[in-house]
Amino acid sequence: MTSTTVDERARTYRAHARPFWRRAVLTREAAIIGILLLVIVVSLATVRNFDSPLTVTYLLRDIAPILLIALPMTLIIITEEIDLSVASIVGLSSVTVGVLTQAGWPFELAGLAAIVVGVVAGAVNGFLVTVVGLPSLAVTIGTLALFRGIAVGLLGTEAVTEFPETWTDLAKANIPGTPLPLIMIPFAVLAIVFAVLLHLTPFGRSLYAIGLNKEAAQFSGIDVGRTKFVLFVMSGAVSGFAGVYFTLLYSNARGENAMGMELQVIAAVLLGGVSIFGGRGALHGVIAGVLLIGTLGSALRLAGVTSDIINVITGLLLVLSVVSASLLAALQARRAAAIGRRKGARSAAPTSTD
C-alpha cells in the first residue's frame, strides 16, 4: 500500500471521528450555504426589485442549464477528471433540435434525437479517456472545439427560431401558484437521483475511492474505466437535455448557443466544495454554489453593475474559494503532523519503574 493511500485513509478516518454536528456544520458546503443566505438577505435589504417574483423566475430560468449540467460534472470531478465539452454539447443538441424541426420532424422526436446526440458525444469523450487512455482535460478541450465546429457547420450563421408554441410556452411556464419555473421539477428529480447515487450507493462510494487513489480503487475491485465511461455518458445525456431546454427557453437554435457555459459550471462546482484533485465534494454544496453565483449576478445587475465587473467578482470568488481550500488542507496537514510528532514523543519517552 502506498503512503498516499495511508494518508488519504487517515484523513478520512479523522474526519469521521469528529462529532456529527461538526461534520454537518463546519464544512465548506455549510459555509457556501451561509454565504448564499447572507447574499440573499443583504440583496433583499439593499437592492431594488430583488424581492420581486419575476426576479426569482428569471434567475432560476437562467441558471437552470447550469444546475442541470453541474450534477454529472460533480461526479466527474470527484473522480479527478473533467469535462470541458459540456457547453459545446448543449450547442450541438440545440442545433440538432433546430435542424430536425426545420426538416419537418415532430418536436418530440427532434428533442429525443438531440438527447441521443448528447449521449453519443459523451460516449466519445468516455471512449477516448477510458479506452484510449488520454487525459480528460486534453480530450474534452479537443471535443469542445470538435462539437462546436459541427454545430456551427450545420447551421452556419443562420438560426432556427420557429418551434411549436406549446413547447416554448412550457419551457417558460411556472409551477402553478409559484414563481418557480417548471424546469425546476425535472431538475429536482435529477438532483435527488444524483444525490442518492453519489451519497447512498456503492457506486457513489466507488467514485470517492477513485478520486482518492485510482490504483487502490482498481485493486479493490472497482472497474475504474467503466465507471468513468458511464459518468461521461451521463454528462452528455444531461447536457443534451439542457440543450433542448435552452433552445425552447430562448426560441433560438444556433451553433454559438451556451458559449462559455462550461466555465460557469466548473466554477460553481469548485465553489461548492468539490476538490479539483478528486475524492471530495457533495451535491448540496454544488447546488448552493450555482445559486450563489446566480443570485450574486442577479443582484449586481439589478444594482446597475456591468457584466464585466460581475465576471471579475465571480472570478475572484472562485479564486478565493480554491485558495482557501488549499490553505485549509495545508493547515490540517500541519496539525496532523504535529499531533503525530507529539504522540511519537510520548511513546518514545522512558517510563519510570518501581
Side-chain angles (χ1 to χ4, degrees):
M1 182 181 295
T2 64
S3 60
T4 302
T5 306
V6 174
D7 292 343
E8 294 294 356
R9 285 186 176 180
R11 185 182 73 182
T12 302
Y13 294 153
R14 283 197 303 271
H16 285 271
R18 296 182 301 168
F20 175 77
W21 71 269
R22 290 186 63 186
R23 285 187 277 138
V25 177
L26 301 181
T27 62
R28 280 176 54 83
E29 292 80 10
I32 293 299
I33 293 172
I35 295 172
L36 170 62
L37 294 176
L38 179 62
V39 169
I40 291 174
V41 170
V42 172
S43 299
L44 287 171
T46 60
V47 179
R48 185 179 179 183
N49 295 325
F50 186 80
D51 58 349
S52 168
L54 283 176
T55 300
V56 176
T57 299
Y58 286 116
L59 166 63
L60 293 178
R61 280 183 190 173
D62 288 343
I63 66 172
I66 300 173
L67 282 169
L68 289 167
I69 299 171
L71 298 176
M73 184 69 78
T74 299
L75 276 58
I76 288 174
I77 294 181
I78 284 175
T79 62
E80 204 178 359
E81 301 291 351
I82 199 165
D83 186 356
L84 294 174
S85 69
V86 287
S88 295
I89 296 175
V90 171
L92 182 57
S93 67
S94 175
V95 167
T96 302
V97 170
V99 169
L100 294 180
T101 302
Q102 196 175 45
W105 284 41
F107 182 82
E108 295 82 359
L109 288 179
L112 181 60
I115 296 174
V116 171
V117 166
V119 170
V120 172
V124 170
N125 286 334
F127 176 81
L128 292 174
V129 171
T130 63
V131 178
V132 181
L134 301 175
S136 59
L137 178 63
V139 166
T140 56
I141 286 177
T143 54
L144 176 154
L146 172 64
F147 299 151
R148 184 68 69 181
I150 295 172
V152 173
L154 287 173
L155 278 180
T157 58
E158 299 178 2
V160 178
T161 58
E162 297 294 330
F163 297 98
E165 288 188 9
T166 303
W167 284 99
T168 55
D169 291 344
L170 191 64
K172 299 170 186 175
N174 287 354
I175 299 172
T178 74
L180 303 178
L182 205 58
I183 188 64
M184 289 297 105
I185 294 178
F187 164 72
V189 172
L190 285 174
I192 292 171
V193 170
F194 274 90
V196 170
L197 188 66
L198 178 62
H199 299 295
L200 299 177
T201 67
F203 180 81
R205 290 191 289 274
S206 72
L207 302 184
Y208 289 104
I210 292 170
L212 288 172
N213 192 303
K214 181 176 66 176
E215 289 77 16
Q218 188 80 55
F219 283 123
S220 67
I222 298 171
D223 191 331
V224 175
R226 183 177 64 182
T227 300
K228 290 184 178 181
F229 182 83
V230 169
L231 295 183
F232 280 104
V233 171
M234 291 166 60
S235 177
V238 175
S239 298
F241 175 69
V244 176
Y245 169 73
F246 192 99
T247 305
L248 292 173
L249 180 62
Y250 298 106
S251 299
N252 191 314
R254 299 176 65 234
E256 293 86 1
N257 278 354
M259 186 83 76
M261 185 181 288
E262 67 279 346
L263 299 181
Q264 295 174 285
V265 173
I266 293 170
V269 171
L270 298 182
L271 182 62
V274 178
S275 172
I276 192 66
F277 302 109
R280 189 193 185 286
L283 272 180
H284 64 280
V286 171
I287 294 171
V290 178
L291 291 173
L292 175 58
I293 291 177
T295 301
L296 185 61
S298 178
L300 291 173
R301 279 191 294 272
L302 288 172
V305 179
T306 63
S307 59
D308 291 336
I309 301 299
I310 294 174
N311 290 336
V312 169
I313 293 173
T314 303
L316 287 175
L317 191 63
L318 176 61
V319 170
L320 288 175
S321 70
V322 174
V323 170
S324 64
S326 298
L327 289 177
L328 182 61
L331 289 174
Q332 289 175 340
R334 290 182 61 182
R335 181 184 176 188
I339 292 173
R341 286 195 298 268
R342 286 199 296 268
K343 287 182 177 179
R346 283 198 298 268
S347 63
T351 57
S352 60
T353 59
D354 293 331

